[in-house]
Amino acid sequence: MADRPLRVCLVSPVPPPYGGIGHWTQMVLRHSEKHGDLEMSVINTAPRWRAVHDLAKWKRVTGGGLQLLRDVARFISLMIRRKPDVVHLTTSGQLAVVRDIWILRIARLFKVPAVYHIRFGRVPEIAGEGTWEWRMMRRAMAMAHTVIPLDSATEDAIRKYAPKVRVLRIPNCIDPSELPAPREPTGEGTAMYLGWVIPTKGVGELVEAWTRLKPKGWRLMVAGPGDAAYKEELLKTHRPERLEFTGELGHEEAMKLLAGADLFVLPSYTEGFPNVILEAMVLGRPIVATTVGAIPEMISDGCGILISPKNVEELTDALSRALSDGALRAGLGVCARARALEEFSIEAVFARYKALWKSCSAKSN
């Protein structure tokens, strides 16, 4: 292997549809092109059989089962044709853990070490409750060389409930060169949400809080894909003023809108280490977000306003503070940008991935 590049297989989604993990995959692939000693391949696990906001269980089981067979077949084919030196598997949990177990078993059969990258923030809850999902995850983690959590709470839960697992916490990353320059606020104020327009992202609470406030001189932009019936239900239930649903946007267009927003809001029920928070930080946008996943570690200490998930009162109060205080917004944005550039740049984080891949491969050989 000394006379050829290190072969790394990413088992991870690639857009479309657009999502945080998919964007991470694209970013890692682009940055790897700067490293001549790496040869990357991808098994694309993006769901093609349903809309991401369609959570009907029967569709997830039947469609997911068919996709599992497809992904596993492609993975086996890659193992036979061009066996990698290390596998890097990302997971969003739930039923995807079944696929993860198959991928990790096959990697072990071919004697290829695997990195298991946990990309969601519910691990402390499911581990504490001992759910079926956690029991399946323990089986998956036991087959991995190293497990990567994104936040300290997930790391602590794994160490407590699966103490034999090798854990290495690595934060998410951002490539500032991909983003437009931050823009100064002009004219009407814009508060922005960017993500899937689904209940678990806290969109309902956001629309309710906005309706309560009715802030003068401000509009709320809700950007991202979602079910038309759900949007109609929100409008009919709350009758908000100055609210715009943009629908799904390309990443470049979404970043231009975010760069011009005066406030970014992410009231999710659960997150891992959300890319959109990193993007808002690099763009110097003040942030209101929930205390889930790695978000408290990202925007604490003056880099954002933290609220409890599913709490309309706290969200309303936080929005009121941020919308009424320009100096507060400016200070939050400056702090957030400085932290993102210092701690979460793609160069720093990718170097840690690369070191881990090399250590896995060296141990295997």
Side-chain angles (χ1 to χ4, degrees), residues 9-17 21-22 24-25 41-50 52 63-64 66-72 74-75 87-93 96 99-100 103 119:
C9 172
L10 295 182
V11 183
S12 190
V14 179
I21 306 178
W24 173 89
T25 308
S41 59
V42 184
I43 302 297
N44 182 7
T45 60
R48 306 296 189 196
W49 44 273
R50 66 172 175 90
V52 173
L66 292 173
Q67 180 160 336
L68 182 150
L69 294 176
R70 184 204 70 175
D71 294 343
V72 167
R74 291 177 176 177
F75 187 63
V87 171
H88 190 123
L89 168 62
T90 66
T91 186
S92 57
R99 174 211 61 204
D100 300 341
I103 294 294
R119 305 282 308 194

Side-chain angles (χ1 to χ4, degrees), residues 14-37:
V14 179
Y18 181 81
I21 306 178
H23 180 63
W24 173 89
T25 308
Q26 291 180 317
M27 184 166 47
V28 167
L29 289 173
R30 281 194 295 268
H31 195 74
S32 70
E33 295 174 357
K34 302 177 182 179
H35 297 256
D37 55 346

Side-chain angles (χ1 to χ4, degrees), residues 140-209:
M141 291 189 295
M143 291 185 281
H145 175 280
T146 302
V147 174
I148 300 178
L150 295 173
D151 60 278
S152 58
T154 299
E155 178 184 16
D156 292 344
I158 295 172
R159 294 190 185 280
K160 179 178 180 180
Y161 294 103
K164 294 183 180 180
V165 171
R166 184 175 186 267
V167 183
L168 179 63
R169 176 160 55 98
I170 302 178
N172 212 342
C173 52
I174 186 74
D175 186 351
S177 67
E178 295 181 352
L179 302 179
R183 293 190 293 177
E184 293 299 320
T186 57
E188 182 183 47
T190 299
M192 183 175 181
Y193 164 87
L194 175 60
W196 291 98
V197 183
I198 53 178
T200 54
K201 289 292 187 178
V203 177
E205 287 83 353
L206 176 56
V207 173
E208 182 177 347

Side-chain angles (χ1 to χ4, degrees), residues 64-330:
L66 292 173
Q67 180 160 336
L68 182 150
L69 294 176
R70 184 204 70 175
D71 294 343
V72 167
R74 291 177 176 177
F75 187 63
I76 292 173
S77 175
L78 177 68
M79 286 288 175
I80 294 172
R81 290 183 292 104
R82 199 165 184 80
K83 180 179 174 182
D85 300 302
V86 61
V87 171
H88 190 123
L89 168 62
T90 66
T91 186
S92 57
Q94 297 182 331
L95 293 176
V97 181
V98 177
R99 174 211 61 204
D100 300 341
I101 290 174
W102 277 98
I103 294 294
L104 291 163
R105 279 178 173 171
I106 293 165
R108 175 172 282 195
L109 178 65
F110 281 87
K111 298 182 179 179
V112 176
V115 173
Y116 194 35
H117 200 164
I118 299 175
R119 305 282 308 194
F120 64 97
R122 295 177 291 103
V123 170
E125 290 77 20
I126 64 174
E129 296 169 6
T131 64
W132 70 267
E133 183 183 6
W134 171 248
R135 294 193 297 270
M136 297 287 281
M137 283 198 66
R138 284 190 62 174
R139 293 175 62 183
M141 291 189 295
M143 291 185 281
H145 175 280
T146 302
V147 174
I148 300 178
L150 295 173
D151 60 278
S152 58
T154 299
E155 178 184 16
D156 292 344
I158 295 172
R159 294 190 185 280
K160 179 178 180 180
Y161 294 103
K164 294 183 180 180
V165 171
R166 184 175 186 267
V167 183
L168 179 63
R169 176 160 55 98
I170 302 178
N172 212 342
C173 52
I174 186 74
D175 186 351
S177 67
E178 295 181 352
L179 302 179
R183 293 190 293 177
E184 293 299 320
T186 57
E188 182 183 47
T190 299
M192 183 175 181
Y193 164 87
L194 175 60
W196 291 98
V197 183
I198 53 178
T200 54
K201 289 292 187 178
V203 177
E205 287 83 353
L206 176 56
V207 173
E208 182 177 347
W210 190 261
T211 304
R212 290 184 183 185
L213 284 173
K214 294 184 174 63
K216 293 182 179 180
W218 286 85
R219 64 170 178 154
L220 173 61
M221 182 185 299
V222 176
D227 183 64
Y230 179 59
K231 298 176 187 178
E232 186 63 30
E233 177 188 340
L234 290 174
L235 294 175
K236 184 177 180 180
T237 301
H238 301 292
R239 301 186 182 280
E241 298 178 1
R242 307 189 67 73
L243 166 62
E244 175 188 356
F245 288 111
T246 71
E248 186 171 6
L249 303 172
H251 186 252
E252 183 177 351
E253 184 180 2
M255 291 302 101
K256 288 180 180 178
L257 290 175
L258 183 57
D262 302 279
L263 178 68
F264 178 69
V265 190
L266 188 69
S268 299
Y269 297 176
T270 180
E271 290 286 350
F273 202 113
N275 284 306
V276 70
I277 290 283
L278 283 177
E279 289 162 341
M281 292 175 74
V282 170
L283 291 171
R285 302 303 89 185
I287 299 166
V288 173
T290 44
T291 54
V292 296
I295 293 176
E297 299 167 39
M298 300 170 75
I299 64 170
S300 60
D301 302 323
C303 294
I305 299 175
L306 291 164
I307 60 170
S308 303
K310 306 180 185 180
N311 193 315
V312 177
E313 286 70 26
E314 287 189 26
L315 178 54
T316 304
D317 290 344
L319 287 174
S320 179
R321 285 178 55 202
L323 298 178
S324 62
D325 192 336
L328 172 64
R329 295 196 304 274

